[in-house]
Amino acid sequence: MTAPAEAPIIEPGEFLTAEHRIDPFPLYRKIRDWEPVYRDQFQNRFVVTRYADIWDAYKRSREGGDFTRAVYDPKGRYEFGSESPLGPTILEMGEGAEHRWSRGIVAGEFVGRKLLTWLPVIEGTAAEMIGRFSVEAAESLAGGLAGRGEVDLVSQFSQRFPIRVIAGMLGLPREDFDYFEGIYNTLFAGMGYGRAYFRSAEQAKIALHDYLTPILAARRADPTDDLISKFVTAEMSGEMMTDDQIKAFVTLLLVGGGDTTHKAIDAMWWNLLRHPEQYEAVRARPELMDRVFTEMLRFDGSNHYQQRRALRETELGGRIIPMGASVALCLGSGNRDERVFRDPATFNIFREDLYFGKELRTGYWKDGVASHLGFGQERHFCMGYAMARQEAVIASTMLLDVLKNPRLKDVPNDGIVFPPPGKGGVRGLLHLDIEFDL
Ligand code: HEM
C-alpha cells in the first residue's frame, strides 16, 4: 500500500473510536507517514510512531538524558504511588541510583541460571492446569454435552496461569492460591478507571499486604528456597529491602507479569490458528514456538505505549518537544514501521528482518535486522522478559500436544483489542474459543 499523495487530516478523536480500539494500525500508519511525532491535543501528548524515533527517545532516556519515565515530581509535590492502586512501585521511578538499586536487587531472579531453577514451577503449573481442562473436555464429550473438545483458552487457562506461577514461585501455601488469585482480580480491576474501582483495588492491596506480613516474618526467621526467602535475604550495596518494598514488589509482579503474559499466550495461539501453514511448521518443529513468541510481540504485542516526559525543550523526529511535555512512545506502531520491517502487517515467523535472538536490553538493529520493541528498551526494559518467554513457550508447547487438530470455534471474536472502556489491562484477546479432537 502506498501513501496517498495528499496529506490526510488526522483528528485526535481517532484515538478514541471503537474502530481504533480493535484496529489501531491504519491510524498508526497515517501518522507514521504524515506526522510521525504527532501532537495529540485531546490527550495532551506527543505520539511517537516511527521505529527510529522511538529508538532515539529510548537512548535519550538514560540518566542525564532528555527524557525520563519518572511520574513523580522531583520537587516533592507528588506523593510517590498516590495515583496508582499499587502504591509506590519501581514503575513510577525515573532513572538513576534509586531505580538501579530497586531493580538490581531482584532482577537477577528472573533471568539466566536463576530463572532455570523456577522452570519446574512453570512446567508443573502448566501441566496441572492444561490437564484439568482436557479432562473436563473429555468428560463433556463422554457425557454427550459436546461433540468435540472445546476450551476458552483465556478463562480456562491463560488468565490464571501466570498468577499461579507467581504464587508457586513466592512459595505460598497451595490452599491460598485461590485467595491470592481473587486479590489479583480485584487489584487488577482497579487498573481501569473510576474512583470506586480504585478504592476497591486499594482495599485489595491492603489485604494482600496484610496477608504477606506473617509470611515475610516466617521467611526472615527461617528462609527456604522460595522467592520470598530470596527477597528477605537479598542485599545490594549493603542494603536490604524493607517489608514495604517487598510487598510493593509482589504487587507489581502480579500486575506487571500477569495480564501481559496471559495475553502473550493467547495472541500466539490466535495468530497460529489463523496461519495454518505456520501452525503445521511449529507442530513439526516445536522449537519454533520461540519464534512465534518473538513475532507475536512485533506483530501486535500487549504493550502499545510507554510514557515518557521531556526534561527540557528538545527535538525528536524533526519536532520540537517542549520541556515537561508528555511523550507516548507507540511501540505498536514502531513494530509495524515499513522503514524497518518488510510487509509489516503480515504475521510471519520466518521473516528475515526480525532479530530472533535472546532479547537485549539495548536492542538490536543492524544489517537490516531489528528487534521487536514489545519489551521496551534501555533502563526500564522489561524485567520479566525471560520469564514471560519461558512461561509462554513452555505452556504453548504443552498445548500443542493436548489440542489435537485445533481450530477456532465459529463464534464472534474481535481478536486482539485494547480493553473496553472502564476496564483495565493491556491489549489482548478477551476470549479465545478453540475446538479440538480428543
Ligand atoms: C509478554 C509479557 C510482557 C510484556 C509484553 C511486558 C512489557 C513490558 C514493557 C514494554 C516494559 C517497559 C516499561 C517502560 O519502558 O516504561 C516492562 C517493564 C517491566 N516489566 Fe514487563 N512485560 C511482560 C512480562 C513481565 C513479567 C512476567 C514480569 C515479572 C517478572 C514483568 C515485570 C516488569 C517490571 C518490574 C518492569 C519495570 C522495569 C523497570 O522499570 O525497570 N514483565 N514490561
Side-chain angles (χ1 to χ4, degrees):
M1 188 174 121
T2 48
E6 259 183 60
I9 293 168
I10 302 168
E11 296 285 0
E14 291 181 60
F15 285 100
L16 306 173
T17 63
E19 293 76 29
H20 184 75
R21 194 172 74 73
I22 295 171
D23 183 8
F25 296 106
L27 177 60
Y28 292 167
R29 165 94 206 238
K30 201 160 60 162
I31 298 180
R32 272 198 311 275
D33 284 342
W34 293 99
E35 197 179 339
V37 178
Y38 173 71
R39 172 96 178 88
D40 171 359
Q41 303 209 16
F42 275 11
Q43 297 184 63
N44 195 19
R45 59 183 185 166
F46 289 85
V47 183
V48 184
T49 56
R50 286 190 184 169
Y51 189 102
D53 296 333
I54 295 170
W55 176 280
D56 185 23
Y58 271 127
K59 303 290 160 205
R60 289 158 62 195
S61 302
R62 298 173 182 148
E63 297 89 321
D66 297 321
F67 301 99
T68 182
R69 202 210 32 203
V71 297
Y72 57 93
D73 176 353
K75 292 204 176 83
R77 287 184 298 251
Y78 174 77
E79 190 194 339
F80 198 38
S82 61
E83 279 179 16
S84 157
L86 299 185
T89 70
I90 183 178
L91 275 191
E92 298 205 330
M93 288 181 183
E95 303 68 38
E98 185 190 17
H99 171 256
R100 264 200 309 282
W101 185 87
S102 305
R103 182 176 166 125
I105 195 160
V106 287
E109 290 300 327
F110 304 99
V111 291
R113 258 192 288 162
K114 288 200 179 165
L115 175 62
L116 297 183
T117 64
W118 300 116
L119 293 194
V121 177
I122 298 176
E123 286 163 354
T125 311
E128 188 188 322
M129 295 184 72
I130 293 171
R132 196 173 313 138
F133 83 63
S134 53
V135 167
E136 280 167 15
E139 284 171 357
S140 295
L141 188 68
L145 295 173
R148 59 195 82 79
E150 289 181 9
V151 64
D152 168 17
L153 201 66
V154 173
S155 59
Q156 288 180 257
F157 177 64
S158 60
Q159 197 171 45
R160 308 180 60 198
F161 166 64
I163 303 309
R164 293 182 97 83
V165 168
I166 291 169
M169 288 169 69
L170 291 171
L172 306 183
R174 285 195 67 84
E175 60 273 22
D176 292 357
F177 279 22
D178 288 342
Y179 173 74
F180 190 68
E181 230 184 284
I183 290 204
Y184 163 76
N185 289 332
T186 319
L187 247 179
F188 196 73
M191 306 303 286
Y193 308 97
R195 296 305 300 176
Y197 285 115
F198 193 93
R199 261 196 301 275
S200 78
E202 276 186 321
Q203 290 301 321
K205 181 196 73 182
I206 292 167
L208 176 63
H209 285 202
D210 289 347
Y211 166 76
L212 289 171
T213 300
I215 301 182
L216 296 195
R219 297 299 189 278
R220 276 197 199 286
D222 188 12
T224 64
D225 55 2
D226 61 29
L227 202 51
I228 291 195
S229 302
K230 313 259 179 216
F231 292 160
V232 295
T233 51
E235 188 194 307
M236 206 169 91
S237 316
E239 267 189 81
M240 299 177 83
M241 284 202 276
T242 62
D243 278 11
D244 282 349
Q245 283 170 325
I246 296 176
K247 289 172 182 177
F249 188 70
V250 170
T251 325
L252 174 61
L253 263 185
L254 283 176
V255 175
D259 196 42
T260 48
T261 308
H262 116 54
K263 287 178 172 158
I265 297 170
D266 307 331
M268 287 165 79
W269 277 89
W270 172 254
N271 287 316
L272 272 183
L273 294 179
R274 285 153 48 95
H275 297 89
E277 65 309 332
Q278 294 182 53
Y279 163 77
E280 288 305 335
V282 177
R283 184 134 190 81
R285 290 175 53 208
E287 69 275 14
L288 290 175
M289 202 54 99
D290 253 307
R291 286 189 161 244
V292 179
F293 182 78
T294 309
E295 170 67 347
M296 173 278 299
L297 281 175
R298 183 204 67 81
F299 182 71
D300 195 353
S302 57
N303 294 42
H304 273 217
Y305 288 98
Q306 292 304 321
Q307 213 63 30
R308 295 292 183 268
R309 189 160 49 83
L311 283 168
R312 54 186 68 88
E313 182 178 292
T314 187
E315 179 274 340
L316 183 66
R319 177 145 213 167
I320 297 299
I321 312 285
M323 178 176 165
S326 177
V327 176
L329 305 180
C330 187
L331 312 181
S333 169
N335 275 325
R336 294 270 186 124
D337 191 342
E338 32 304 273
R339 292 151 198 81
V340 177
F341 300 110
R342 276 180 298 282
D343 200 7
T346 299
F347 180 84
N348 178 8
I349 62 169
F350 298 109
R351 59 172 56 250
E352 292 175 353
D353 47 11
L354 178 64
Y355 173 74
F356 281 96
K358 179 174 172 293
E359 268 93 9
L360 304 172
R361 194 169 172 186
T362 49
Y364 183 98
W365 187 19
K366 57 183 172 198
D367 306 329
V369 182
S371 325
H372 68 81
L373 297 169
F375 285 131
Q377 261 180 37
E378 290 289 342
R379 294 298 185 259
H380 302 286
F381 184 71
C382 176
M383 217 170 85
Y385 75 97
M387 175 169 150
R389 179 180 283 278
Q390 287 287 5
E391 288 180 278
V393 170
I394 287 174
S396 295
T397 309
M398 282 187 191
L399 287 167
L400 269 185
D401 281 340
V402 173
L403 301 178
K404 300 207 170 50
N405 187 21
R407 55 258 174 210
L408 287 171
K409 200 172 160 187
D410 187 16
V411 291
N413 196 335
D414 285 335
I416 300 171
V417 296
F418 290 117
K423 199 167 182 299
V426 291
R427 187 170 164 82
L429 284 137
L430 301 178
H431 59 104
L432 178 54
D433 309 272
I434 300 175
E435 288 176 353
F436 55 102
D437 296 342
L438 282 161

